Amino acid sequence: ILAASSSRCTGKKTWPSYDMIMISLSLSRITLQCWIILDLFLTIFCEPSYFEENLFGIIKTVYMFLNYSTLWFGAWLSVFYCIKVASFTHSFFIWLKHRIARLMPWMLLTSWLCSFTAAIPFAWDVYSVHSNFTAPLPMTNSSAMRTTRKDNMGLFILLSNAGIGMPLILSVLSSVLLIWSLWIHTRRMHNNASGFRDPSLEAHMKAIKSVCSLLILYITYFIAFSFLVYDLFLRFSTPKSICIAAMAACPTGHTIVLIWSNPKFRELPARIWHFTMCPVG
């Protein structure tokens, strides 16, 4: 996806909105996967140094920033699909359809800033109350230390992470509107069908399946991420392991659906495969 989107933007003064979203989403996910591998490596081989204040603050802050960014870019992708594909006649919707190209760079920049702002609290020791992000607190007065930190900073943490719900609202709302629009159009086409196989009708049904799949994967990722952020499960417990596995699987599934639903993304792997299989000489 990153290679296909980047190739279409090469040499252009103005990048298409869709490619800007895909490049941002791909880069954030690739960086997140690399960061998780680095985090796992440090946890296994450098455990004494891993929980040092400065190092761990950087690791957990970047990790949260990348997760927030992934959620935001996924939400903007749903919004873009809705604006471009759905056929609503409301004046505000039409206004967005004509101005989405100019608004998209600012929307992506705002996403980076919101993600950075929401990740700032994780740079401070206040998040040591979460056992999944930090080393255990000392045994002496550990309960009192946890209670004091939660009481002093609980409201600030809640406000700092309130932005995590905004991408979900945008994604769910835009996906539901798009599915509704596609379903209405599909029913009209089905009623007017002559009985023969209609490629347009099949394309609409495929689009509905793709949007539903993307929405399910997005919500699953959001739920698993929220459970880990707010430390709702015990360390090394089965539910927590399921959340970690879901966070690893959902971006992969999301990418597969995007490639499957977009012919332009399917063409590049086919060309690469054809090039590698062609004999030289």
Side-chain angles (χ1 to χ4, degrees):
I1 292 177
L2 179 61
S5 299
S6 300
S7 63
R8 288 197 296 267
C9 294
T10 303
K12 293 183 179 179
K13 294 182 178 180
T14 303
W15 290 8
S17 300
Y18 180 75
D19 291 323
M20 283 194 290
I21 299 174
M22 297 311 301
I23 290 174
S24 300
L25 181 60
S26 300
L27 285 175
S28 63
R29 284 182 173 172
I30 292 173
T31 308
L32 177 60
Q33 295 300 323
C34 294
W35 199 259
I36 291 175
I37 294 174
L38 175 63
D39 177 74
L40 181 62
F41 178 84
L42 293 175
T43 303
I44 296 175
F45 298 103
C46 306
E47 186 175 359
S49 303
Y50 178 77
F51 291 106
E52 291 182 0
E53 183 178 356
N54 293 335
L55 177 61
F56 192 78
I58 295 174
I59 291 174
K60 63 185 177 181
T61 302
V62 174
Y63 173 77
M64 298 307 301
F65 169 74
L66 293 172
N67 272 291
Y68 284 132
S69 300
T70 299
L71 290 172
W72 272 108
F73 296 144
W76 290 133
L77 180 62
S78 300
V79 172
F80 180 82
Y81 279 150
C82 179
I83 293 174
K84 285 296 185 180
V85 178
S87 55
F88 296 111
T89 58
H90 193 275
S91 58
F92 179 71
F93 188 84
I94 297 175
W95 181 86
L96 283 176
K97 188 182 288 285
H98 291 299
R99 289 169 175 79
I100 187 64
R102 279 182 282 178
L103 292 174
M104 187 53 64
W106 296 104
M107 293 161 65
L108 296 176
L109 179 60
T110 302
S111 301
W112 285 107
L113 294 177
C114 291
S115 301
F116 178 76
T117 302
I120 286 178
F122 288 85
W124 299 331
D125 192 47
V126 61
Y127 269 85
S128 62
V129 297
H130 295 282
S131 59
N132 59 327
F133 288 115
T134 61
L137 289 170
M139 293 299 295
T140 305
N141 295 328
S142 60
S143 298
M145 292 171 64
R146 291 175 186 270
T147 302
T148 301
R149 286 173 178 174
K150 287 184 178 181
D151 290 342
N152 292 340
M153 300 298 294
L155 180 60
F156 179 74
I157 294 172
L158 181 62
L159 293 175
S160 298
N161 290 278
I164 194 176
M166 194 62 185
L168 179 67
I169 295 173
L170 288 172
S171 181
V172 172
L173 182 60
S174 57
S175 297
V176 170
L177 289 175
L178 178 56
I179 293 172
W180 184 29
S181 176
L182 288 172
W183 180 251
I184 293 175
H185 196 200
T186 301
R187 290 188 61 183
R188 291 175 181 171
M189 294 174 63
H190 183 74
N191 293 333
N192 297 329
S194 59
F196 297 97
R197 189 173 181 179
D198 189 350
S200 299
L201 182 60
E202 293 182 357
H204 276 70
M205 292 302 300
K206 182 179 179 181
I208 292 175
K209 293 177 182 178
S210 299
V211 175
C212 290
S213 301
L214 292 175
L215 180 60
I216 292 172
L217 290 169
Y218 185 89
I219 293 176
T220 303
Y221 183 90
F222 176 87
I223 293 174
F225 177 57
S226 299
F227 283 165
L228 292 182
V229 167
Y230 294 105
D231 196 23
L232 299 180
F233 302 118
L234 296 175
R235 200 175 186 184
F236 304 119
S237 64
T238 300
K240 186 170 184 178
S241 301
I242 294 175
C243 290
I244 295 174
M247 287 188 64
C250 285
T252 303
H254 196 275
T255 302
I256 292 174
V257 173
L258 289 175
I259 295 175
W260 172 74
S261 60
N262 193 324
K264 294 181 180 179
F265 292 148
R266 296 198 302 266
E267 290 174 0
L268 184 60
R271 289 203 303 266
I272 295 176
W273 175 259
H274 178 74
F275 178 78
T276 55
M277 295 302 294
C278 287
V280 180

